[in-house]
Amino acid sequence: MPLLAIETSCDETCAAVMAEDARLLSNVVASQEIHEQYGGVVPELASRMHLQHIAGVVRKALERAEVAPLQLNAIAVTHGPGLIGSLLVGLSFAKGLALDLGVPLLGVNHLEGHLFSNNISPEGPQPPFLSLIVSGGHSMLAHVEDWNRYRILGETQDDAAGEAFDKVARILGLPYPGGPQIEKLAAAGNPHAIAFPVARLKDAPFDFSFSGLKTAVLYHVRKLLSNEAATSGEQQSLTQVKADIAASFQHALITAILETTARAHEKFPVSSVALAGGVACNKTLRQALMELGQTRGFQVFYPPPIYCTDNAAMIARAAMIRLTHMRGTNGSAYQHAPMPGLKLDSNL
Ligand code: KG4
Ligand code: ZN
């Protein structure tokens, strides 16, 4: 009997259906382009768009899976972390449907979804493995000791990796979301043109910090602009200047991620490292991590782009893992409330 999963923690309305043997039967994502014009997600607009999309997205997921609502045996829904208004739409919809159908409702941590997004495929990593979650809202390194036992080794102390990509893109006048734009521009640039700082946190060796890097890019651009005013004429082409900044920023950010991963692997010499979250779409990061894996002796896993960014297939998979290896459903459908600041913790 299949499970329906719903995810609405940020700006994507998602639903997926997964069979009891963990085969993915459908995966539907409705993205919200409306935020592009504002250069970032506007929470109020995100909840309104979720309200408009949720019923159609769930219906489409059931139709594509050829599953009738009455055939469902459980519903899983993201209950945190995320934007409270966005979470509330998915959670209320899931609660109403679960109560109507008389099936259990399972609250899933969004980060647990990213953590197991490489396991939507049966060829995914088997514990123990290290998981590197790099997205628009989060950057963390976790040690997955077993399916039901994992712990966070480090997190970002300020901006998330995707957030840094988005903010630097904005500085360079590129549209939101900035990650793919920076990656494209960086392909034509020299990654060693500018030595941007790579944060190394002595007291927190597995933590990240990207805000200093973002500020360094901002100061660099300001300095260039004031020089340009003083010496207009024999300048490099603007496109090349931007490409060099994009490539040098990307290089510094990837270096920070690789150094932190290498330190964690030194302490936890696992044979697999799983990359997840929107920034895991970045091909330069994937390539660099695979090279590190060859040197250090670990295999790198990363999901296809559709499972890197927010989706409900990963929520379905995390729910299945929870049902199989943990404590079953965590409470009755009535008890679930949105938890915007929910932490990743296998004891919850
Ligand atoms: O996982 P996600 O949907 O966000 C959260 O759940 O928080 O990822 C979105 C983030 C954005 O910040 C976007 O700029 C970044 O992932 N991203 C990328 C790339 N594709 C998406 N960053 C770098 N390179 C990419 N190719
Ligand atoms: Zn996410």
Side-chain angles (χ1 to χ4, degrees):
M1 295 250 284
L3 171 145
L4 167 73
I6 294 174
E7 149 69 43
T8 62
S9 66
C10 191
D11 62 337
E12 258 115 14
T13 318
C14 321
V17 178
M18 191 168 263
E20 209 163 356
D21 60 2
R23 252 179 324 114
L24 185 64
L25 303 179
S26 68
N27 181 46
V28 179
V29 179
S31 298
Q32 304 180 355
E33 269 96 39
I34 192 164
H35 305 286
E36 277 171 28
Q37 58 189 294
Y38 301 100
V41 178
V42 182
E44 172 66 22
L45 291 178
S47 357
R48 284 169 192 249
M49 297 307 287
H50 282 310
L51 269 176
Q52 282 180 24
H53 289 152
I54 185 85
V57 165
V58 168
R59 189 178 297 121
K60 204 182 265 182
L62 289 168
E63 277 170 11
R64 284 193 190 162
E66 296 183 11
V67 167
L70 283 170
Q71 289 176 289
L72 293 171
N73 73 341
I75 296 179
V77 62
T78 305
H79 63 150
L83 301 169
I84 187 157
S86 292
L87 289 166
L88 199 55
V89 176
L91 197 54
S92 308
F93 192 94
K95 217 184 255 189
L97 193 57
L99 288 169
D100 185 41
L101 297 173
V103 296
L105 179 73
L106 187 67
V108 176
N109 186 317
H110 178 78
L111 294 167
E112 207 168 84
H114 280 302
L115 195 70
F116 293 119
S117 56
N118 280 283
N119 300 100
I120 297 169
S121 146
E123 281 88 43
Q126 301 296 304
F129 62 87
L130 285 175
S131 169
L132 190 54
I133 303 176
V134 275
S135 73
H138 308 274
S139 289
M140 62 175 62
L141 196 53
H143 181 216
V144 181
E145 293 165 58
D146 206 342
W147 294 112
N148 57 358
R149 212 170 57 248
Y150 51 79
R151 64 196 168 111
I152 301 174
L153 302 178
E155 287 179 274
T156 180
Q157 295 194 352
D158 36 61
D159 292 348
E163 194 179 352
F165 268 101
D166 294 336
K167 287 179 175 170
V168 166
R170 205 171 177 168
I171 294 170
L172 295 178
L174 301 168
Y176 174 87
Q181 308 280 339
I182 294 270
E183 181 176 23
K184 212 163 127 198
L185 191 59
N190 172 7
H192 305 289
I194 309 135
F196 286 129
V198 175
R200 294 179 181 93
L201 306 157
K202 279 214 183 76
D203 300 334
F206 307 133
D207 271 2
F208 302 100
S209 167
F210 298 117
S211 80
L213 170 59
K214 167 202 69 191
T215 309
V217 174
L218 180 66
Y219 287 169
H220 183 82
V221 170
R222 278 194 190 153
K223 202 167 143 203
L224 280 182
L225 289 174
S226 61
N227 284 352
E228 191 185 27
T231 63
S232 60
E234 5 119 14
Q235 300 282 323
Q236 249 186 310
S237 91
L238 183 62
T239 319
Q240 190 56 49
V241 171
K242 280 187 170 183
D244 284 349
I245 295 174
S248 302
F249 155 76
Q250 183 175 266
H251 178 70
L253 185 137
I254 291 176
T255 304
I257 292 178
L258 293 192
E259 286 185 359
T260 310
T261 308
R263 273 194 294 274
H265 189 253
E266 190 78 47
K267 185 148 185 215
F268 303 98
V270 290
S271 57
S272 309
V273 173
L275 193 55
V279 182
C281 292
N282 188 290
K283 292 191 193 70
T284 318
L285 170 62
R286 291 176 176 192
Q287 184 59 35
L289 195 61
M290 284 199 293
E291 282 165 21
L292 181 70
Q294 273 163 11
T295 321
R296 297 201 56 91
F298 60 75
Q299 191 184 348
V300 176
F301 292 83
Y302 51 82
I306 182 78
Y307 304 143
C308 286
T309 47
D310 292 347
N311 65 88
M314 68 181 191
I315 301 301
R317 190 66 188 103
M320 287 271 180
I321 290 172
R322 200 163 251 278
L323 286 169
T324 315
H325 300 280
M326 295 192 185
R327 294 157 298 279
T329 60
N330 48 359
S332 88
Y334 292 105
Q335 288 165 350
H336 289 286
M339 287 188 263
L342 186 64
K343 296 280 176 217
L344 182 67
D345 186 343
S346 58
N347 293 316
L348 291 176

